[in-house]
Amino acid sequence: MISDPATSLTSAVLAPAVDDDQLLHVSLGPQHPSTHGVFRMNVVLDGETVVRLKPVFGYLHRNHEKIAEGTSYLASMPYTDRLDYICPLSNNWAYARAVEKLAGIEVPERAEFIRVILAELTRLINHTAFAGFILGDMGAWGSALMYAFREREKILDLFEELTGARMMANFMRFGGCRNDLPDGWSAKVSKLVDEYGPFLDEMEKFLVGNEILLSRTLNVGSLPKEVLINGGITGPMLRAAGVPYDIRKVDPYGIYERFDFRIPLGATGDCYDRIMIRFLEMRESLKILHQALDQLPDGSFIHPKAKIRNFKPPLGEAYARIEGPKGELGFHLISDGSTRPYRYRIRPPSFINLTLIEDMCLGLDLADVVVILGSIDIVLGEVDR
Amino acid sequence: MGIDFQLAEDMKSQGVHVTSFESLVNWGRASSLWPLQFGLACCAIEMIAATMARYDMARFGAEVFRPSPRQADLMIVAGTVTKKMAPQVVRLYNQMAEPKYVIAMGACAISGGPFKDGYNVLKGIDRFIPVDVVIPGCPPRPEALLDGLLTLRAKIAREKLLGKHRARHANPDGTAAFPVPEFGAHDLEPTANREIWNPPAIVRDAEGGEA
Amino acid sequence: MTAEHLTPEDRQSPDSLSPPDRESPDSLASPDRESPDSLAAAVLARLRTAFPRAGVSLRTNPGPAVQHSLLVSPADLCDVCRFLRDTPDLAFDFLSNVSGVDWPDPSKADAVAAPADEQGTPAAAAGFLEVIYHLYSTRRRIGPLVLRVRTADRLSGVQIPSVVAVFRSAEFQEREIFDLYGVEFTGHPDLRRILMWDEFQDHPMRKDYVAPDDYEYEPTPHAAVLEKAQRHYVQP
C-alpha cells in the first residue's frame, strides 16, 4: 500500500547490496538501436539487475518553443508536424485547437469530421508502427516492422493525396483545414478501413499467445494506478493499468461525443497489456472511422471568416489538449495581442510518460529496460522538442 | 589505364573479364555499402521506410544496417544534428573504419533546415565531418534516399586509388579522425572545423544584397 | 495477470474489459462538470477557508478561453497543492502541465492574468519569472485548474519550492524550466540541466537571451534571416 503516490520508489526499493565499485555503469544511447532515436539512459547494474536508471534528454532539442515565439501563429503549424513525426496530423489538431480556444474561433462541422478521420488514421499509423518497433526491440527485428510499414504506406498514400506530403502534412488551419477532400478520397479511406480489420487479425494472431512475447512482457514494468496518475502518465500507458481516462470521453473535444466507441482498459499495466491495449484501440478507431465516413456532411472545410494573414488573437492564455496516440498532447499559449505568441509551450506526452521509467525498471534485468522503453512509445522529436 | 575497349569486349565473349584493379575495388565497395543504423529525427522514419517492403533498399545492396560504427562504412545523417549530439556524431564517424562515406539526409543535416534559428541546432553536419552526398527535402522521400545512394555509388565508382587526386582513405597522409568539439559555456568549442568547412565570406551592402 | 487476459476472445465480449463499476462509456462524463470560469473561483473559496492566511488571489483571463487562474505565493505552494490533491471533494490528482514564462515587463503579466479586484497584488516592478501549473482531476473529470507562482525577480530571487513531493509528474518539467528559464526549485530531488549540456551557462528561453552568432552564408536571405545576415557581416 502506498501512503503517498508521489513518493519515489527509487529511494525505497533496492539500495545496492554491493559496493559501488562492484556495480556496472552502462550508458545506453544516444546511439543505440533500441532507444528509438537519440535517447540515452545511464543504467547502473548489479550483475544483470538494474539498480539505478537515469534518463538523459536533449540530444534532439531543436528549440521549437523558442522558434515559435519569434514567428507568427500559423508559421508554427509546420513545426508541429515535426514534434511527434510519426503522427503529424494529431499534433496539427492539438495546436489548431489551442489557437482556436485562445482566439475563440468556431470550426465548421465538415472540418471537424475531416479532423476526426485524420486523427484516427494517424492513431492507426502510430499504433501499428508501435507494434513493429516493440517487436523489433524484443528481437523480431525487421519482419514485424515490415508488416507495419506495409500498412503505414497505404495510409501515407491517402495523406499524400490529401495534403501533398507523406509525413509533414501541415494541414490544419485555425478554424478548419487547408483544403477539402479530393474526389473519391473518402471511398478510398472506407476501403482501407474495411481491409484494416483483417490485417489486425493477422497481426494479433502472430502476437497473442506467442511464447516469446509472453515471457518478455508479462508482469514487466507495471506500477500502481495512483503512482501512474501522480506521475503524469497518460494515454494507452495509463489505460493499460485500468484507469478509464481518455480525453475523447472525459473532456470531449471536436465531435467525439457523437460517436459510439469504447475505451479499452487493461488489468495490470504490464508491457503485455500496453501492447494489447493498442490493438484494441485500433479496433475502436476503425469503429469511429466507419461512423465518421458514413456521417460526413457537406459544407465548408474552413470557417469563412478564418483569418490567415495578420492573425492576432486577443490578450489572454489558453491550455488545450487532445488525446494523441501517445497520450495527452497539450498546448499552452499566451497571447499578448500581437501576431506572435508570447509563450508557446507544448505538453509532450512522450516526455512526461518517461517520468516513471526508473521506477518501472528497478529490480528487473537490462533486457527488460528495452521492452519497457519500447512499451512507453516515445518519439524523440516530442521528448526533446 | 589504357585497356583496349574492343579487346576487352572480345575477351568478355570468351568469358574473360578485363578491368582495372581500381574499378574492381570501387565496384566492390559501391555495391555493398553497410550503413550505420543511426537515426536522429524525422528523416530516420523515411530511412526506415526506404528499407521496408515498398522501397526495398536491398535492391541496391545497402540494406544491412549495422548498429556498431565499427562494422559500417556509410553514415546516413538522418535528421537534425543538435549541438548536444554533434560530438557524438563526430565520434561515431571517427570510429568507423576507412573507407567511409557520409550522406547528409534532409534539410536539417545539410544546414539546420527549418530549425536553423535554434540555439541548440548545428547548422549543418558539414561543419565537422566531410559530407559526400546531400539529399534535400524535409524529409526527403524514400525515393530521394535511393537516388542519393545511387549518386554515392557513382561517386565511389569514380574514386582514384593512386595519384595526386586519390581518395582520402587511399592517402597514407589522409586523416580518418576529425576533432570532436567540446561543450562550452555558450556554444560548442570550436563551433566548426575550419580545416574542412569554410563558408564564402561575402560582403553585403546595407540592404543585405551582395556588394 | 494471466496470459489469457486481453486476448481477442475478450474482445468479443466487450464488457469483460471494463471494470464493472464503470463499464458504460457514458458514465465517463461526469455529471458535476463545472465550467472552467467558475472553477478557479470555487477553488479559491475552499482555499480561503482552509488557509485563511495563505497568499492566494484570483487572476482573470481576458481571452475567450476564460481559464482563470489562482496566483499562489511561493511559500504556500506545496501546502496548496497537497490540499488540492488530498481533499476528497477536490481531488486534483493529476498535474498535467508545468510551463515557465519570462516576464521582463511585469505590466504585460498583469494584462494577461489580470487581478480580479483592486486589492490584487500589483506585479513587482523589475520583472520576474512565472511558473504555471495546469491541474486536472481524473476522478471528478474537471479541469484545468491553473495555478501561477511568481519569483521575486529575474536575477537572484528565482527560488520557487518544488512540487515534486506532491506531484511526481513535475520532476522533469521543473528541470526543464530550471534549464531554460533559470528558476531554482528548492527541494527538487535532482535539479540538473535536462535539455542543454551541463556546462551550458545561459537560460535560452528567457526573452533577453541572445543566441551565439553562427550564421552561415545564405544566397538569398530575407526577413528574420536578413536581420541576422546584416548583424553577422561587416558593413562595407
Side-chain angles (χ1 to χ4, degrees):
Chain A
M1 184 62 205
I2 299 143
S3 54
D4 188 335
T7 307
S8 166
L9 300 184
T10 320
S11 50
V13 184
L14 278 174
V18 284
D19 297 336
D20 199 58
D21 57 356
Q22 297 288 305
L23 298 172
L24 181 65
H25 293 248
V26 182
S27 171
L28 210 65
Q31 147 64 10
H32 190 274
S34 68
T35 53
H36 296 242
V38 286
F39 184 57
R40 178 176 169 199
M41 291 173 284
N42 283 332
V43 190
V44 181
L45 299 172
D46 177 7
E48 192 69 4
T49 311
V50 178
V51 294
R52 212 174 313 152
L53 185 149
K54 292 291 173 203
V56 183
F57 303 90
Y59 291 100
L60 196 56
H61 179 45
R62 308 194 269 197
N63 330 122
H64 176 181
E65 292 180 4
K66 185 78 178 177
I67 293 171
E69 284 169 20
T71 184
S72 70
Y73 282 86
L74 187 59
S76 299
M77 187 62 83
Y79 287 94
T80 61
D81 290 335
R82 289 155 181 83
L83 267 179
D84 173 357
Y85 37 77
I86 308 256
C87 14
L89 284 154
S90 310
N91 308 340
N92 276 192
W93 194 5
Y95 177 51
R97 235 180 77 71
V99 176
E100 281 152 12
K101 205 166 192 175
L102 184 70
I105 303 173
E106 296 285 315
V107 184
E109 195 183 19
R110 183 175 171 86
E112 293 279 23
F113 271 89
I114 297 174
R115 286 177 175 191
V116 167
I117 293 170
L118 293 175
E120 295 305 322
L121 284 175
T122 307
R123 202 180 306 276
L124 291 181
I125 289 188
N126 182 72
H127 288 359
T128 312
F130 161 84
F133 282 122
I134 193 168
L135 286 163
D137 292 343
M138 283 184 243
W141 177 250
S143 23
L145 199 60
M146 202 80 88
Y147 282 100
F149 269 61
R150 184 187 71 191
E151 299 305 311
R152 178 176 178 268
E153 292 289 344
K154 292 177 188 167
I155 302 179
L156 288 190
D157 284 347
L158 295 169
F159 284 176
E160 192 176 357
E161 190 179 343
L162 177 64
T163 69
R166 281 160 54 83
M167 284 169 73
M168 303 312 179
N170 181 17
F171 186 66
M172 311 264 176
R173 290 291 177 267
F174 313 134
C177 303
R178 196 179 69 208
N179 52 277
D180 206 353
L181 304 180
D183 289 340
W185 192 82
S186 48
K188 286 180 196 163
V189 180
S190 298
K191 185 165 173 284
L192 179 122
V193 171
D194 290 339
E195 289 168 357
Y196 220 85
F199 160 70
L200 290 180
D201 293 340
E202 185 190 18
M203 199 85 171
E204 276 184 9
K205 201 168 71 192
F206 294 142
L207 302 183
V208 177
N210 180 316
E211 197 175 324
I212 299 174
L213 182 98
L214 291 178
S215 58
R216 290 297 299 273
T217 56
L218 281 183
N219 299 320
V220 170
S222 57
L223 283 178
K225 285 179 198 179
E226 298 76 26
V227 176
L228 290 173
I229 293 172
N230 193 277
I233 311 293
T234 47
M237 289 271 292
L238 183 65
R239 292 191 289 274
V243 181
Y245 198 72
D246 186 314
I247 299 166
R248 292 175 293 174
K249 286 282 187 197
V250 301
D251 188 7
Y253 56 95
I255 47 166
Y256 274 113
E257 275 171 311
R258 299 191 198 176
F259 300 125
D260 172 35
F261 64 103
R262 293 172 47 257
I263 301 304
L265 296 176
T268 62
D270 60 4
C271 289
Y272 185 80
D273 277 7
R274 288 179 201 159
I275 295 173
M276 287 306 152
I277 201 105
R278 282 163 166 114
F279 276 92
L280 297 174
E281 282 193 5
M282 280 196 272
R283 305 273 182 187
E284 298 303 316
S285 290
L286 293 178
K287 254 197 236 172
I288 298 173
L289 279 168
H290 271 300
Q291 296 169 51
L293 288 165
D294 286 345
Q295 301 166 18
L296 186 65
D298 289 332
S300 173
F301 58 87
I302 189 161
H303 196 276
K305 288 185 184 157
K307 206 172 167 190
I308 301 292
R309 292 196 180 277
N310 206 18
F311 170 70
K312 287 180 188 168
L315 203 67
E317 65 173 329
Y319 178 75
R321 54 183 195 157
I322 69 162
E323 183 68 36
K326 295 181 168 65
E328 175 183 329
L329 175 62
F331 278 81
H332 177 216
L333 301 173
I334 297 181
S335 163
D336 60 352
S338 70
T339 55
R340 301 171 175 192
Y342 187 82
R343 177 73 174 109
Y344 174 103
R345 150 89 183 161
I346 305 147
R347 190 253 185 229
S350 303
F351 177 56
I352 297 172
N353 283 358
L354 283 169
T355 305
L356 297 178
I357 185 171
E358 182 175 26
D359 302 50
M360 288 174 194
C361 295
L362 286 181
L364 300 174
D365 291 348
L366 183 61
D368 295 327
V369 173
V370 172
V371 178
I372 290 172
L373 181 68
S375 75
I376 297 176
D377 192 15
I378 59 165
V379 160
L380 260 291
E382 192 177 71
V383 172
D384 292 340
R385 283 150 290 139
Chain B
M1 289 291 164
I3 299 171
D4 185 337
F5 183 70
Q6 188 58 46
L7 183 64
E9 284 299 302
D10 290 348
M11 290 178 76
K12 198 186 265 183
S13 65
Q14 306 292 319
V16 180
H17 290 258
V18 180
T19 185
S20 66
F21 181 70
E22 191 175 79
S23 310
L24 182 69
V25 167
N26 286 344
W27 171 78
R29 278 184 184 152
S31 306
S32 164
L33 286 167
W34 286 27
L36 179 62
Q37 187 186 333
F38 178 53
L40 288 173
C42 334
C43 290
I45 303 294
E46 289 296 64
M47 184 172 78
I48 295 168
T51 66
M52 289 294 150
R54 182 180 288 188
Y55 299 99
D56 194 12
M57 210 151 104
R59 291 176 292 162
F60 307 100
E63 84 284 14
V64 190
F65 278 77
R66 305 308 301 179
S68 163
R70 299 284 187 207
Q71 304 165 339
D73 51 12
L74 167 63
M75 176 188 256
I76 302 177
V77 185
T80 317
V81 186
T82 60
K83 286 175 183 168
K84 190 165 178 176
M85 190 65 194
Q88 330 288 338
V89 178
V90 179
R91 204 167 283 135
L92 284 166
Y93 180 76
N94 289 346
Q95 286 171 350
M96 286 163 65
E98 288 277 20
K100 52 191 173 185
Y101 307 96
V102 176
I103 291 180
M105 179 184 182
C108 294
I110 297 171
S111 70
F115 298 97
K116 190 169 185 143
D117 291 337
Y119 48 87
N120 190 28
V121 176
L122 189 72
K123 279 82 182 165
I125 191 60
D126 57 345
R127 289 183 176 219
F128 288 111
I129 57 177
V131 174
D132 294 281
V133 176
V134 297
I135 309 174
C138 189
R141 296 177 62 91
E143 294 97 323
L145 178 59
L146 297 182
D147 183 57
L149 192 71
L150 293 176
T151 310
L152 180 66
R153 283 170 53 132
K155 185 176 177 180
I156 295 172
R158 290 195 306 272
E159 263 183 3
K160 296 269 181 287
L161 300 183
L162 294 167
K164 199 173 139 199
H165 298 292
R166 62 192 157 184
R168 188 190 70 234
H169 58 79
N171 187 348
D173 302 330
T175 175
F178 290 84
V180 179
E182 304 273 330
F183 291 133
H186 307 285
D187 202 349
L188 289 176
E189 288 170 3
T191 55
N193 182 356
R194 295 284 162 182
E195 284 179 17
I196 60 166
W197 183 79
N198 278 301
I202 48 168
V203 181
R204 290 184 184 277
D205 57 28
E207 278 76 48
E210 290 183 31
Chain C
M1 200 193 84
T2 62
E4 286 77 44
H5 198 79
L6 280 177
T7 57
E9 286 70 45
D10 282 339
R11 211 177 48 240
Q12 260 85 60
S13 57
D15 293 334
S16 67
L17 277 173
S18 314
D21 57 329
R22 42 169 98 98
E23 72 272 77
S24 106
D26 294 332
S27 73
L28 285 171
S30 161
D32 64 342
R33 185 197 299 272
E34 291 171 51
S35 67
D37 49 335
S38 66
L39 181 63
V43 171
L44 179 66
R46 293 292 308 272
L47 286 174
R48 287 247 164 92
T49 343
F51 304 98
R53 268 172 300 174
V56 186
S57 62
L58 185 68
R59 294 275 163 159
T60 52
N61 180 349
V66 291
Q67 290 170 348
H68 303 315
S69 52
L70 297 177
L71 181 68
V72 184
S73 72
D76 301 314
L77 178 66
C78 285
D79 289 340
V80 165
C81 283
R82 201 176 291 277
F83 175 77
L84 291 173
R85 187 193 73 183
D86 292 339
T87 311
D89 62 330
L90 291 174
F92 286 97
D93 50 359
F94 173 46
L95 173 62
S96 170
N97 179 48
V98 187
S99 305
V101 192
D102 181 19
W103 298 103
D105 174 10
S107 62
K108 260 190 175 174
D110 276 353
V112 167
D117 47 36
E118 295 300 311
Q119 286 80 44
T121 346
F128 49 84
L129 303 166
E130 189 173 54
V131 181
I132 302 177
Y133 304 83
H134 290 92
L135 291 157
Y136 283 89
S137 169
T138 58
R139 254 172 285 160
R140 296 174 62 220
R141 309 189 193 295
I142 54 169
L145 176 67
V146 188
L147 303 181
R148 36 194 352 127
V149 183
R150 294 173 173 178
T151 62
D153 57 45
R154 299 172 72 239
L155 302 169
S156 53
V158 289
Q159 290 78 21
I160 280 181
S162 164
V163 297
V164 175
V166 190
F167 295 111
R168 267 302 286 288
S169 56
E171 185 177 341
F172 291 160
Q173 303 188 69
E174 285 185 351
R175 272 179 71 186
E176 187 186 325
I177 295 168
F178 167 72
D179 185 354
L180 302 182
Y181 284 93
V183 177
E184 284 170 24
F185 291 93
T186 48
H188 191 287
D190 185 20
L191 196 63
R192 287 176 294 134
R193 284 192 179 267
I194 188 167
L195 293 176
M196 303 303 286
W197 53 87
D198 289 335
E199 296 86 352
F200 197 71
Q201 286 177 358
D202 304 328
H203 301 297
M205 282 296 285
R206 288 198 185 187
K207 294 284 176 188
D208 50 4
Y209 171 74
V210 181
D213 177 17
D214 47 6
Y215 177 79
E216 188 185 333
Y217 165 76
E218 199 157 305
T220 52
H222 55 87
V225 185
L226 178 62
E227 284 169 32
K228 248 185 176 177
Q230 281 165 343
R231 275 203 308 274
H232 179 81
Y233 286 108
V234 188
Q235 300 293 326

